[in-house]
Amino acid sequence: MTDLCGWVLGLDTSTQISSVALARIDSGQIMQIHEGLAANDESHNEELLPLIDSLFKKAKLGVEQLSSIMVGAGPGSFTGLRIGFGAAKGLSFALKKPVVNGCSLTAMAWSGRREGECVFACSDARRSEYFCRGFLHSSENEWREILPAGILSADALKEVIRTNTGSGTGATKRVAVICGHPDRGDLEPYRCLEGKAIAQNLIEIALNQKASPTDYNVTQLSSIQPNYIRPVAAKTIRERLAERLNPQADQAG
């Protein structure tokens, strides 16, 4: 992880919401921040770049003044992640600025942290399933993972929550579920919040040494990749066809 300073652009397209934040950082503190959201899963490609441009105009900032770029690595929407990473790579290449990638679910969970409370972030994985990850925000202000990023059904996720927090009415006071998912009814009666400010949270977590620093990596531009979790489903038609025509090469890889 590198020290963030100057103007940092954060962006995330892992859910139905395009989340963008432009922050000025000095001595490890956010001194100024502008945030933009566009809630339309079908229009990441149309809305992301205008959203970024609007924040630079609001900050009266030239794009060349950017110091680094942060991008949510998912897991999440395959198409959304490709668009977000495409934008981050394009800006990084054009401006010769570093890219830092972080877990989108970690950033989503950050919105619901309370001392001594478990937080579970989830987003739509299709097929009646959730991408999810869970944390405990301890009394020492430490951010500890209790559920690794993965895919679970609503029933399986509720069972994980019960296992980690106990059952009964007391559990509802100790659990927050942050959703980047259109249907939160499956997860009642837990305290459900909508996960929106993912880009801003990516930046905040990177500045918090107790958060989850292993999630954040300065990545070589040529090797930066989203965390699809379902890598086969994320492959293009051309990639799948090439594997069918040359299965031995796929097995060797």
Side-chain angles (χ1 to χ4, degrees), residues 166-172:
S167 57
T169 56
T172 63

Side-chain angles (χ1 to χ4, degrees), residues 235-253:
K235 291 179 180 178
T236 64
I237 294 175
R238 180 176 294 180
E239 288 169 340
R240 294 183 201 178
L241 181 59
E243 289 176 0
R244 289 181 183 178
L245 294 175
N246 191 6
Q248 291 182 345
D250 182 49
Q251 292 173 2

Side-chain angles (χ1 to χ4, degrees), residues 109-110 112-119 134-146 174 208 210-211:
W110 190 251
R113 68 193 187 284
R114 287 184 181 178
E115 186 177 301
E117 188 170 84
C118 295
V119 184
F135 296 89
L136 173 64
H137 187 210
S138 72
S139 56
E140 293 79 23
N141 199 34
E142 291 183 338
W143 192 236
R144 179 167 60 85
E145 182 183 69
I146 56 176
R174 299 182 54 209
N208 188 310
K210 292 185 178 181

Side-chain angles (χ1 to χ4, degrees), residues 9-13 16-22 34-40 43-59 83 87 91 196 199:
L9 175 68
L11 58 95
D12 185 274
T13 51
Q16 293 183 331
I17 297 172
S18 295
S19 175
V20 180
L22 183 61
H34 303 277
E35 185 183 14
L37 301 170
N40 190 337
S43 302
H44 283 310
N45 199 35
E46 298 175 4
E47 295 177 340
L48 182 60
L49 292 180
L51 197 57
I52 293 172
D53 184 58
S54 70
L55 293 193
F56 276 97
K57 289 179 179 177
K58 187 182 295 185
I83 292 170
L91 288 168
K196 287 185 176 181

